[in-house]
Amino acid sequence: MCFFFFLKYWAVHVNGKVCKDPKLVEADDFFFSGLHLPGNTSNAIRFQITSAIIHGFNTLGIAIGRADFAPNGFSPPHTHPRGSEIVLVLEGSIEIGFVTSHPENRLFTKILKVGDFFVVPQGLVHFQRNVGEANAATITAFSSQFPGLIRVSDASFGSDPKIPSDLLAKAFRIDEKTGSQIQKRFSG
Ligand code: MN
């Protein structure tokens, strides 16, 4: 009974796509078209990620996507818990930086132009922003088929349910009122 349940309802997910029966695999499982197309950057941070998720990445430990930045667009501080990242600039110019772990918290940062790439080690907090006057775009590749994304601000102030505001206030060295005001901006 349990085995049946496992087979029927508990398909293995490695990167958000189920592992397919090898007999059913076809060329399109290893194919994606569209990373030449800009993502829609009409949002508060003027930034969009296009993830190319395919069955064929499963178990290979790789993934690729595209990021688009309108002028003043940025990718807020975040981490990918399961993969290192390569950021290759396709268009425009971006600033990128990552911070090493506790206790050094050393910032490594660089301005990139077309054809440049920068590597972000697995799990470290990093950010990017468009420093040009036109649009910018990057190809982002990962050493995992499911690198994950944790935005520091969303995880801290936008969790559901909320992290106790007095704890957040002490952690960010702000008063509790400010802490709950920030939490309200991340809700809904
Ligand atoms: Mn990243």
Side-chain angles (χ1 to χ4, degrees):
M1 186 68 179
C2 281
F3 188 60
F4 173 77
F5 180 86
F6 176 87
L7 280 179
K8 191 165 183 200
Y9 300 108
W10 222 67
V12 177
H13 289 67
V14 181
N15 69 346
K17 291 276 191 184
V18 296
C19 285
K20 288 181 74 171
D21 181 337
K23 290 191 284 298
L24 302 176
V25 169
E26 53 197 4
D28 276 350
D29 292 319
F30 302 94
F31 171 77
F32 183 91
S33 179
L35 287 187
H36 61 300
L37 299 171
N40 180 1
T41 54
S42 303
N43 55 57
I45 59 175
R46 301 172 67 80
F47 168 76
Q48 188 63 252
I49 300 165
T50 304
S51 299
I53 298 172
I54 59 172
H55 288 286
F57 285 151
N58 279 336
T59 76
L60 299 186
I62 53 171
I64 194 165
R66 170 186 173 119
D68 285 276
F69 305 74
N72 299 315
F74 72 104
S75 174
H78 64 278
T79 82
H80 306 288
R82 293 177 293 274
S84 297
E85 178 177 4
I86 293 180
V87 177
L88 168 69
V89 177
L90 285 182
E91 180 187 346
S93 181
I94 67 156
E95 178 183 14
I96 185 166
F98 68 80
V99 180
T100 67
S101 56
H102 180 83
E104 290 81 12
N105 296 309
R106 189 172 165 201
L107 173 67
F108 290 82
T109 185
K110 194 84 181 163
I111 303 287
L112 307 180
K113 58 183 182 352
V114 173
D116 295 348
F117 75 80
F118 196 67
V119 174
V120 178
Q122 180 171 348
L124 297 187
V125 172
H126 58 286
F127 61 85
Q128 292 130 274
R129 66 172 165 180
N130 186 350
V131 289
E133 288 174 8
N135 291 337
T138 63
I139 290 292
T140 56
F142 297 92
S143 63
S144 164
Q145 60 269 325
F146 193 32
L149 168 63
I150 298 170
R151 283 191 172 142
V152 175
S153 47
D154 291 2
S156 301
F157 292 99
S159 67
D160 182 19
K162 293 185 189 323
I163 294 174
S165 58
D166 60 319
L167 186 149
L168 274 186
K170 286 179 201 151
F172 284 85
R173 301 177 195 183
I174 53 180
D175 60 74
E176 200 174 331
K177 189 166 159 239
T178 307
S180 55
Q181 278 174 345
I182 298 173
Q183 280 181 319
K184 284 195 188 87
R185 289 181 191 174
F186 280 85
S187 57

